Amino acid sequence: MSMIRDLRAAVRPALRRTRTTSNYDATRDPSVSSAVIDCAVYRDGRRVSDHCSPAEAMKRARAEGGFAWIGLHEPTEREFAGIAQEFGLHPLAVEDAVQAHQRPKLERYDDSLFTVFKTIHYVEHAELTATSEVVETGEVMCFTGRNFIVTVRHGGQGSLRALRHRLQEDPDLLAKGPSAVLHAIADQVVDGYLAVADAVQDDIDEVEIDVFSAASSRRGGDAGRIYQLKREVLEFKRAVSPLLRPMQLLSERPMRVVDPDIQKYFRDVADHLARVNEQVLAFDDLLNSILQANLAQATVAQNEDMRKITSWAAIFAVPTMIAGIYGMNFDYMPELRWKFGYPSVLVVTVAICFVIHRGFKRNGWL
């Protein structure tokens, strides 16, 4: 694998130089259409063009005003090359957008912003098991400039089609430009976090009730389910926590491509994100406590079993000791030739065992 990575690292710079020097036209490349989900030009908050290529959309936005919004789904390097060249996107950001699996972040390149969002989808399940998938992650990446926004989506979740239609029904907001679209995407992603947090809370409550139930206390609970849920919460945390700083920057620091009126809306998104982050951190702490309680219950159950085993071993030690003594072949042993010696020994043995059993029972060992 390391050899393949080294080969890719050597080939990519040459590919980038070829794309930069060549006269690449996205409108003539049929491979682009397979990745482009929607492409349109918006002017004064209204959609003014349909069925155009990304290059045509950008030309119209530059010549007639407004901005171009191009949506892509899991493009390859070849499919994204012409768009990246047309919109002047930075090669490092382009590489991140194509490869995916990026950490949520905000990066500034000259007059454009590159933003990465992790989308979270709750996976419905009839019963939580040690192998249940609770959350499913995807990615939405946004290239935001003065007169364009390019969205790149990875994964089967986080579709922006409904969001686009909703924004088109609010021309006043969409007239604010690409930053209005960026805010709407951030708001939708964070609202998804809130919904997933509520569903995960139900799963944690279910596990908590099960762990502290009487039946679970006897069997020691199910550490596998708790650990699996903790791993899923950790995946959730990786999507939420790194996004705090980018949302803070978008809501507080002036940026040329972000409309000042839209910046106020980012504060609301940042507040919601902070609340989700607190919930996720609380989930992690609560699951740690539940896991520790489960392990403590298992330890207590093992101690109870050991006390029972020890108690019965002590009881059976009495007849074993007496049988061992009378099993020795000596001619001069007390009551050896007594008529009632054998039943007397049995009675004494049973009496001693009964007294020991009553003692252990009284102390809660049996």
Side-chain angles (χ1 to χ4, degrees):
M1 292 298 294
S2 61
M3 183 176 66
I4 295 175
R5 285 196 297 267
D6 294 340
L7 181 61
R8 287 178 178 173
V11 171
R12 279 174 186 156
L15 289 176
R16 290 198 190 104
R17 286 193 298 269
T18 303
R19 290 170 186 157
T20 303
T21 55
S22 63
N23 187 16
Y24 189 90
D25 188 357
T27 62
R28 297 178 182 176
D29 189 353
S31 64
V32 174
S33 60
S34 63
V36 175
I37 303 301
D38 199 353
C39 177
V41 177
Y42 295 87
R43 189 180 307 113
D44 297 328
R46 301 187 182 279
R47 186 169 180 145
V48 296
S49 68
D50 280 316
H51 309 296
C52 61
S53 67
E56 292 172 349
M58 190 59 185
K59 290 177 182 177
R60 291 192 60 177
R62 288 170 177 167
E64 303 172 10
F67 69 94
W69 181 359
I70 294 90
L72 301 98
H73 181 248
E74 297 183 354
T76 62
E77 286 189 45
R78 183 170 179 269
E79 291 172 334
F80 202 30
I83 297 176
Q85 180 181 344
E86 183 67 35
F87 289 84
L89 306 181
H90 197 279
L92 293 176
V94 171
E95 184 177 5
D96 290 344
V98 171
Q99 291 183 353
H101 305 296
Q102 300 297 317
R103 188 173 183 266
K105 60 183 178 179
L106 171 67
E107 295 179 346
R108 286 186 288 184
Y109 297 99
D110 298 328
D111 291 335
S112 65
L113 296 177
F114 176 61
T115 315
V116 178
F117 300 97
K118 281 276 190 182
T119 57
I120 298 291
H121 171 70
Y122 180 77
V123 180
E124 297 289 345
H125 45 267
E127 182 181 0
L128 181 66
T129 65
T131 58
S132 295
E133 185 180 13
V134 179
V135 296
E136 181 182 2
T137 61
E139 292 179 45
V140 175
M141 305 175 183
C142 302
F143 295 88
T144 310
R146 290 182 177 274
N147 52 7
F148 70 87
I149 180 166
V150 179
T151 57
V152 181
R153 184 167 61 88
H154 290 269
Q157 307 299 329
S159 174
L160 302 177
R161 188 180 301 275
L163 174 65
R164 186 187 286 261
H165 293 162
R166 190 166 64 250
L167 283 174
Q168 290 174 173
E169 294 174 357
D170 190 358
D172 293 337
L173 180 62
L174 198 55
K176 299 294 184 180
S179 59
V181 179
L182 179 62
H183 162 263
I185 294 173
D187 189 50
Q188 176 172 287
V189 170
V190 174
D191 285 345
Y193 293 166
L194 291 169
V196 173
D198 292 338
V200 172
Q201 178 70 66
D202 294 337
D203 283 337
I204 294 176
D205 291 342
E206 179 185 344
V207 170
E208 186 177 16
I209 292 172
D210 183 69
V211 165
F212 289 100
S213 65
S216 178
S217 298
R218 288 193 295 270
R219 71 173 185 266
D222 189 353
R225 292 198 306 157
I226 302 172
Y227 186 71
Q228 176 65 15
L229 189 55
K230 184 173 174 60
R231 289 189 61 174
E232 296 297 307
V233 169
L234 179 60
E235 187 72 17
F236 195 3
K237 182 179 178 181
R238 288 173 179 167
V240 175
S241 296
L243 193 57
L244 288 171
R245 181 58 179 169
M247 286 299 101
Q248 184 180 7
L249 292 175
L250 287 171
S251 62
E252 296 178 357
R253 184 171 297 180
M255 298 182 184
R256 285 177 289 183
V257 298
V258 178
D259 188 280
D261 294 334
I262 296 298
Q263 193 168 34
K264 301 174 184 177
Y265 289 90
F266 278 110
R267 297 173 188 170
D268 183 63
V269 177
D271 290 340
H272 291 172
L273 183 64
R275 192 179 78 181
V276 176
N277 185 64
E278 291 175 358
Q279 281 185 281
V280 174
L281 294 177
F283 290 162
D284 195 28
D285 293 338
L286 181 58
L287 285 172
N288 283 335
S289 301
I290 294 174
L291 184 59
Q292 291 175 1
N294 177 76
L295 295 177
Q297 286 179 343
T299 303
V300 170
Q302 290 176 355
N303 290 339
E304 290 180 354
D305 293 340
M306 289 302 299
R307 287 194 298 180
K308 291 179 181 180
I309 294 172
T310 303
S311 300
W312 285 111
I315 293 173
F316 283 110
V318 174
T320 302
M321 180 187 68
I322 295 176
I325 293 174
Y326 278 88
M328 294 185 293
N329 296 322
F330 291 107
D331 291 334
Y332 302 100
M333 294 185 70
E335 293 84 27
L336 188 61
R337 300 185 182 277
W338 184 34
K339 181 179 179 179
F340 301 101
Y342 180 70
S344 298
V345 170
L346 291 180
V347 170
V348 171
T349 301
V350 171
I352 295 175
C353 291
F354 177 76
V355 171
I356 295 175
H357 182 274
R358 284 291 302 274
F360 284 132
K361 194 79 172 179
R362 189 182 301 110
N363 293 329
W365 283 48
L366 289 174

